[in-house]
Amino acid sequence: MSAGTVEIRRSGSTAVLTLRREAKLNALSTHLERALLRALDDKAVTTSRAVVLTGGDKVFSAGADTGELREMTPEAITAYYRDSGAVYEKVAALPQPTVSAIAGYCLGGGLELALATDFRVADPTAQLGLPEVGIGILPSSGGTYRTVRAVGPARARELVLRGRRLTAAEAHAWGLLTEVSEQGAHLGHALRLAEELAALPPLAVAVTKRVIDVAADSPRESSLLLEQLAYASLNQATHPPTEDPT
Ligand code: COA
């Protein structure tokens, strides 16, 4: 059990994925990342209208498995990003809206995983941080990139460079969290948010998710053009032209 599993269940239209490696604070070993990759291809997920990712009541994840980090050569690291390390981008690329339900530690790769989801709902016990630089590396599963975009470079330096650990209230004030629930209610709140998102037209949601991602990195002209083209195709899908009777 210490290798960990990902529990998959459905709650209405939402797929709920739970990291289960409690004895190691849900540390993201290669084994656990692969389990998450497989879970994303499970029918319960592919047929869902929203996805909630959680680590349960006590801990979201204490990050990459530090035992594995020590042994990796540059070649092994490159191979890792093609293998289980691809899971962070796979979560980010899901067409459905995604919500992280966070309690307790959400550190390093755990925070990177949460940042790969669209929304983050946390229990007041949540602690968010990126301790990698302190151990001689850096967040490299999209964490540096997404932190800058989520909170701007000055606050990203506090988190990434100084390794500042935020309480749930601080992370909410910084814009890293969508919502802080009452104690013990984070999963319920995340499920409510997921069901609200699941009720939206799925094609509009999937296309808009992509447009938002691209807009974060693109010049004004291409962002505006993409938004207009996306509008044209969504509008046609939503309101197909009626036949001209003449
Ligand atoms: N990788 C592998 N194992 C981890 C881990 C990680 N990132 N984080 C925690 N664990 C394991 C511990 O080794 C311990 O296992 P053991 O009981 O077999 O010895 C178990 O989880 C419980 O952790 P412990 O340190 O005893 O809990 P704590 O409450 O005293 O401290 C933390 C919690 C999160 C502060 C501490 O575990 C920690 O700093 N972890 C590393 C966080 C980190 O640097 N993450 C980024 C990695 S790039």
Side-chain angles (χ1 to χ4, degrees), residues 135-169:
I135 57 169
I137 50 174
L138 87 166
S140 52
S141 295
T144 309
Y145 172 85
R146 289 196 176 91
T147 303
V148 172
R149 276 154 185 78
V151 298
R155 284 180 162 169
R157 284 188 187 91
E158 287 289 317
L159 274 166
V160 181
L161 207 49
R162 294 185 73 197
R164 179 164 164 185
R165 203 186 282 178
L166 302 178
T167 62

Side-chain angles (χ1 to χ4, degrees), residues 20-79:
R20 300 295 307 271
R21 198 187 178 207
E22 295 91 339
K24 298 286 181 186
L25 307 183
N26 291 333
L28 288 153
S29 59
T30 305
H31 180 93
L32 192 57
E33 288 173 340
R34 286 200 188 117
L36 184 53
L37 269 179
R38 281 195 302 278
L40 296 176
D41 287 332
D42 190 279
K43 203 159 171 237
V45 175
T46 56
T47 60
S48 70
R49 298 273 293 258
V51 178
V52 167
L53 201 56
T54 186
D57 293 341
K58 301 225 157 40
V59 61
F60 186 75
S61 168
D65 192 309
T66 46
E68 291 183 359
L69 294 178
R70 268 176 244 128
E71 291 153 22
M72 285 174 96
T73 61
E75 290 79 7
I77 289 172
T78 308

Side-chain angles (χ1 to χ4, degrees), residues 60-189:
F60 186 75
S61 168
D65 192 309
T66 46
E68 291 183 359
L69 294 178
R70 268 176 244 128
E71 291 153 22
M72 285 174 96
T73 61
E75 290 79 7
I77 289 172
T78 308
Y80 161 78
Y81 287 114
R82 288 195 301 269
D83 180 19
S84 67
V87 72
Y88 304 85
E89 287 311 299
K90 184 152 177 167
V91 167
L94 284 172
Q96 308 94 319
T98 51
V99 183
S100 292
I102 303 167
Y105 295 118
C106 179
L107 303 175
L111 180 51
E112 293 185 284
L113 190 56
L115 285 168
T117 60
D118 298 313
F119 299 94
R120 284 159 290 285
V121 173
D123 185 80
T125 57
Q127 295 185 40
L128 288 80
L130 294 165
E132 286 91 338
V133 169
I135 57 169
I137 50 174
L138 87 166
S140 52
S141 295
T144 309
Y145 172 85
R146 289 196 176 91
T147 303
V148 172
R149 276 154 185 78
V151 298
R155 284 180 162 169
R157 284 188 187 91
E158 287 289 317
L159 274 166
V160 181
L161 207 49
R162 294 185 73 197
R164 179 164 164 185
R165 203 186 282 178
L166 302 178
T167 62
E170 288 168 333
H172 187 242
W174 281 30
L176 273 179
L177 296 175
T178 316
E179 189 183 323
V180 181
S181 70
E182 307 85 61
Q183 184 112 24
H186 61 296
L187 184 56
H189 280 234

